[in-house]
Amino acid sequence: MNSEQLEGKWKQVKGQFKQKYGDLTDDDVTYTEGKFDEMLGKLQEKTGKTKEQLSDEINNW
């Protein structure tokens, strides 16, 4: 899945991610166009998961 597909999927699942990882804030799950990888980096820090793990999790939702 490419980054554009992940971005589209992310719009669908970000609320579920906030519920699953309670310490995520709106700022953590919000990205501006072209900054999706930066947002994934923030999620990596907060969740302790790799970029691939997060991508898989987003994909499987």
Side-chain angles (χ1 to χ4, degrees):
M1 180 173 271
N2 66 34
S3 63
E4 285 182 14
Q5 291 169 315
L6 274 175
E7 286 181 43
K9 183 76 171 176
W10 181 248
K11 290 177 183 179
Q12 298 172 18
V13 300
K14 66 183 177 180
Q16 294 166 336
F17 247 64
K18 283 175 60 180
Q19 288 176 358
K20 183 173 182 179
Y21 302 104
D23 62 337
L24 295 178
T25 66
D26 284 333
D27 287 341
D28 292 329
V29 298
T30 302
Y31 66 92
T32 56
E33 191 171 330
K35 300 255 183 174
F36 192 73
D37 285 337
E38 185 178 316
M39 186 210 57
L40 278 178
K42 287 182 184 180
L43 292 176
Q44 284 179 269
E45 287 178 22
K46 294 271 185 152
T47 64
K49 294 187 176 221
T50 66
K51 184 176 180 178
E52 292 77 21
Q53 289 172 316
L54 290 169
S55 294
D56 288 344
E57 194 167 342
I58 293 167
N59 235 356
N60 292 324
W61 234 305

